[in-house]
Amino acid sequence: MVETIPSYEEMMPAVLKVLADGQLKSLRQITAEAAAVYGISDEQLALTLPSGKQTYVYNRVG
């Protein structure tokens, strides 16, 4: 399942697309919008790194 989540490098075009409008956005909003670009499911959004402190998607966007 984790392998279906884009890597950091693969996530950057979506992040840049989200930021392209020049509006100030929170990291949470950027993460949600970038995840939507890739159609990442709620189940995938909830997956955490082995440390359990951060989700994979949040880590890849941040």
Side-chain angles (χ1 to χ4, degrees):
M1 172 93 54
V2 173
E3 54 275 347
T4 61
I5 297 173
S7 69
Y8 177 83
E9 291 81 11
E10 293 168 334
M11 190 68 85
M12 282 305 101
V15 171
L16 294 173
K17 181 177 180 180
V18 168
L19 296 173
D21 65 6
Q23 299 297 311
L24 184 63
K25 298 178 183 184
S26 68
L27 184 54
R28 185 179 303 235
Q29 185 178 6
I30 295 166
T31 301
E33 291 182 30
V37 169
Y38 284 103
I40 295 173
S41 70
D42 289 340
E43 184 178 81
Q44 290 170 309
L45 285 172
L47 291 173
T48 59
L49 295 169
S51 68
K53 296 182 180 193
Q54 191 177 54
T55 66
Y56 280 95
V57 175
Y58 190 84
N59 176 269
R60 306 269 166 87
V61 171

